Amino acid sequence: MMRATIVLAGALALFPTLLPAVCDSRVFIDANRNGVFDAGERGLSGVAVSDGVHIVRTDRDGRYRLAAMPGKTLFVIKPSGYSLPKRADGLPDFFANQAGTGAKLRYCGVVQSDAACKSFALNPEAQNPELPLSVLLFGDPQPKSAVDVDYYLRDIIAPLRGNPAATLGITLGDIVHDDLTLLPEIKKADSLLGIPRLYAAGNHDIDFDAAGDAGSLESFRAQFGPDTFAWEERHANFIVLDDVIYQPGGKPAYIGGLRESQFHFLARYLAGADKNKLLVISAHIPFFQTKDDAETFRSADRRRLFKLLAPFRDVLLLTAHSHAQNIVQHGPDSDWHGIGRLFEYNAGASCGGYWAGLKDKDGLPDATMSDGTPNGYARLHISPRDYRLQWFNARNRPNAAMALHLPLVLRHGAYPGVGLYANVFMARPDTRVDVRIDDGSWLPMQRVNRADPRVLALNLQDDASPALTGYDRTPEATISSHLWRFSLPTNLALGEHRIRVRAIDAWLGEVSEEAIYRLEAVSP
C-alpha cells in the first residue's frame, strides 16, 4: 500500500490514511488549452481533488494521490478564478468515472473507466470582483419521450440559445422521467447554451433495477459524473448533492435523505470553506417537510446537515421535485439553529405540469403547474454582498412576475364576496402585495393558502371536454404558497374600473399587473 496525505479542504490540519490502488495524477495550468499535460506546463498547488468521500490537496508540483475504486468518481473541486475545458459532450471536464460495480442494469451504467487516474486541466480566468455571478436554474425537465425533449428544446433552450446571460447552469434533478436513454438527449440540448452545467440526480433518474441505493445512480454517473461534489466561484461556493435514497420494494420507493459517505464529504469540505461566503447547496427533494402524513426528507439527516451548516453566515438551498414554487426561510421550527440566514428555494419545473395541458399554435403544451406557476426557469444573481432570485416563464411569455384572476363583470351593489386573486410566482415570506382601484389608495391584499382559481378553471375545462385537451391533463390544483386575495367592491360607479396590483420585496423590487372589471345595474 502507498501512504497518502488526506487534507481537509482549505484546512491547515494534516493527517495520514492508507489508500490502496492509489491514483497518482496532477492538476495543471493548461497553457496551450489542449487538455493534456505537456512539457513545460506547470502543476497547480493547493487544489482539492475528491472521490466523493475523501478530499486531498495537490502538492507544490500539482500532484494528487487518491484511491481508485470501482463505483467511485474522481473529481476536481474547481477553484474560484479558474475555468475548465469542455468534454466532447459539452460538460466541464472535471471528473473521471472509475470502473462500474459490474451489476447488470437495463441502462448499462458505467461500463468502463474513462481515464480513471485523470490529470485535470485548469486555466486562469479574468476576475471582476464587482461583476455579479448569474446562474441559470432548471428544475425537472423530465421528458417521458422524444416528443417531450422537443418541447424542452423549443420551450426552454431555444429562447436562451445565443444569449443565456449566465456563466453557470444547474439542473435540480428529474433530468428525465425514468427512461434513462433520454439522459444524453437532455445533455445535448443543454450544451447548446455553451455554459458549464452541473446536475443533481432526481428520483426519476435512478436505475430502478439496481439492488440498492448504493448502485442506483450508475447510469447517471455514466452521463454526468459525480452525484455529490463541490464547485467554487468568486461570490459563492456550490455543493451538489444526491438527496434521493432509493428503497427497492419500499412504498414509496425512495425518501429524501443523505448517505453516510456524503456526510463524510460534507464534513471535510465544510471544515475549510469560507464561512462568510455564500454557500449554495443544490439537490432534488426539498429539505422542508412537504406532506403532513409522511416524512418526505429524513428529519435526522436534516438536523445533521443543518448542524454542519450552522457556522455559515449565508446558506441558500436549491431544490425542485414538487412541480410548484416555494420559498422557505428555515428557522428553529425546521431544525435551523445557525448563526446566519437559511433560505430554501424550491424551484418550479421546466416541464411545468409534466408537459401537459392544451397546446398552443406552435404545438407546445400549456404546462401550468398545480400551484398556478407557468413552466419556465429561474435565475440566481449573486453579488459580493447579496443574492436574488427571479422566475422567467418559458419563451418569455407575459405575466413574468404574477398572474391575476378576477371576474369580468359583477352586479352593482351585490354583496362584495367575490375575490381578486394575485399569484406572485417568486414571492418570499416577506413579500407585500397591494391593490389600487382606479385612482384610489393602495390597499393590502391578504395572503391565502388555497388553490389558484386559474388552475381550477383549467381542471373544470378538462372535466367538461368530450375529448382529451392534451396528451395529459393539467395537474389537479394544489394549495399555492404565493397567492393573495382581495374582495372586489361593488359599490363604486357603474361601468369599468381599472385594477393595478403591485408586489414588493427585496428580490422582486416592485412588479405590477393590471386588469379591468365592470359593474352593471341589474333589475330584480
Side-chain angles (χ1 to χ4, degrees):
M1 290 187 179
M2 182 178 293
R3 181 173 294 273
T5 302
I6 301 294
V7 185
L8 297 183
L12 298 177
L14 302 179
F15 55 93
T17 189
L18 296 177
L19 296 176
V22 170
C23 271
D24 187 342
S25 295
R26 71 181 72 232
V27 179
F28 64 98
I29 299 294
D30 189 17
N32 61 6
R33 297 182 180 267
N34 67 351
V36 178
F37 181 68
D38 297 311
E41 292 180 329
R42 67 180 180 87
L44 192 61
S45 65
V47 178
V49 182
S50 177
D51 61 1
V53 180
H54 307 93
I55 298 174
V56 299
R57 291 268 179 183
T58 55
D59 64 17
R60 63 183 182 181
D61 297 319
R63 304 191 78 91
Y64 74 88
R65 294 172 178 83
L66 262 175
M69 298 177 63
K72 295 287 186 181
T73 299
L74 298 186
F75 58 91
V76 63
I77 298 178
K78 188 197 80 68
S80 173
Y82 291 87
S83 62
L84 288 154
K86 289 182 182 178
R87 297 160 62 101
D89 59 7
L91 290 184
D93 193 17
F94 75 105
F95 68 88
N97 285 323
Q98 308 300 287
T101 59
K104 292 183 178 180
L105 300 169
R106 176 183 178 186
Y107 296 107
C108 296
V110 178
V111 295
Q112 62 182 8
S113 166
D114 55 354
C117 294
K118 182 177 177 61
S119 287
F120 295 103
L122 291 174
N123 278 102
E125 57 183 5
Q127 294 280 293
N128 181 343
E130 294 302 312
L131 189 66
L133 174 69
S134 181
V135 185
L136 275 177
L137 304 176
F138 292 175
D140 303 75
Q142 206 163 339
K144 302 177 290 296
S145 64
V147 172
D148 289 353
V149 174
D150 176 65
Y151 294 155
Y152 178 68
L153 275 164
R154 292 193 289 143
D155 214 24
I156 303 295
I157 299 297
L160 290 166
R161 190 175 181 183
N163 185 26
T167 54
L168 183 66
I170 301 175
T171 297
L172 299 168
D174 280 2
I175 304 162
V176 297
H177 187 90
D178 298 340
D179 183 354
L180 305 190
T181 63
L182 298 176
L183 289 174
E185 298 304 311
I186 292 296
K187 181 168 59 174
K188 181 179 178 181
D190 291 341
S191 70
L192 296 175
L193 300 183
I195 59 174
R197 179 163 289 276
L198 314 179
Y199 293 87
N203 55 287
H204 287 288
D205 302 322
I206 65 180
D207 290 293
F208 284 102
D209 53 344
D213 182 64
S216 64
L217 288 179
E218 284 232 359
S219 296
F220 172 92
R221 287 198 307 115
Q223 296 297 328
F224 302 110
D227 60 68
T228 295
F229 61 95
W231 177 285
E232 298 177 348
E233 295 287 352
R234 59 184 178 274
H235 299 321
N237 292 331
F238 294 82
I239 296 174
V240 177
L241 293 174
D242 162 37
D243 72 341
V244 181
I245 303 296
Y246 179 40
Q247 304 176 135
K251 291 185 178 181
Y254 63 88
I255 189 172
L258 298 173
R259 302 183 299 274
E260 194 65 29
S261 60
Q262 292 174 294
F263 281 114
H264 284 303
F265 172 79
L266 286 166
R268 287 166 165 82
Y269 179 76
L270 296 175
D274 186 347
K275 306 301 186 292
N276 291 311
K277 189 176 182 180
L278 176 65
L279 179 65
V280 180
I281 296 181
S282 300
H284 181 63
I285 295 179
F287 295 97
F288 60 87
Q289 186 68 15
T290 60
K291 295 180 180 178
D292 294 331
D293 59 344
E295 190 176 51
T296 53
F297 189 94
R298 296 192 302 210
S299 55
D301 289 358
R302 180 174 58 249
R303 288 192 295 270
R304 190 174 174 186
L305 172 64
F306 283 8
K307 186 175 181 179
L308 288 171
L309 302 177
F312 287 80
R313 176 185 60 84
D314 210 356
V315 183
L316 173 63
L317 308 175
L318 301 173
T319 54
H321 186 57
S322 62
H323 294 254
Q325 295 225 108
N326 298 279
I327 296 174
V328 175
Q329 185 164 14
H330 285 282
D333 59 340
S334 57
D335 301 318
W336 176 246
H337 303 281
I339 64 170
R341 64 178 181 173
L342 176 62
F343 272 107
E344 179 171 353
Y345 171 46
N346 181 220
S350 292
C351 75
Y354 306 90
W355 299 117
L358 191 65
K359 293 181 182 178
D360 65 11
K361 61 181 178 60
D362 298 316
L364 292 168
D366 176 75
T368 296
M369 291 176 237
S370 64
D371 69 341
T373 306
N375 76 307
Y377 60 91
R379 289 187 186 274
L380 169 62
H381 303 276
I382 306 173
S383 71
R385 289 162 290 279
D386 208 351
Y387 67 86
R388 68 187 181 101
L389 286 153
Q390 289 181 286
W391 180 254
F392 292 85
N393 299 338
R395 288 177 293 152
N396 297 316
R397 296 196 300 269
N399 300 328
M402 73 172 83
L404 305 182
H405 177 87
L406 71 163
L408 294 177
V409 60
L410 290 173
R411 178 175 64 82
H412 184 264
Y415 179 77
V418 179
L420 159 72
Y421 290 86
N423 192 331
V424 184
F425 308 135
M426 187 61 85
R428 293 164 34 130
D430 61 351
T431 301
R432 189 176 91 236
V433 181
D434 303 317
V435 59
R436 184 169 69 183
I437 300 178
D438 298 326
D439 295 318
S441 301
W442 286 103
L443 300 171
M445 296 184 71
Q446 180 184 6
R447 196 168 196 157
V448 292
N449 289 317
R450 61 178 65 177
D452 187 331
R454 295 181 306 116
V455 185
L456 290 170
L458 290 172
N459 294 158
L460 291 174
Q461 178 181 321
D462 282 334
D463 289 346
S465 175
L468 293 174
T469 57
Y471 181 80
D472 278 320
R473 295 165 49 106
T474 295
E476 189 171 296
T478 57
I479 291 175
S480 172
S481 66
H482 39 84
L483 189 70
W484 278 258
R485 186 187 183 280
F486 179 81
S487 293
L488 287 171
T490 60
N491 59 353
L492 305 177
L494 292 171
E496 289 189 341
H497 295 277
R498 187 179 71 257
I499 292 172
R500 185 181 176 199
V501 175
R502 69 180 183 185
I504 302 171
D505 67 35
W507 290 350
L508 291 168
E510 180 175 330
V511 296
S512 64
E513 194 66 38
E514 295 187 354
I516 290 174
Y517 80 109
R518 190 173 74 256
L519 292 175
E520 288 187 358
V522 180
S523 299

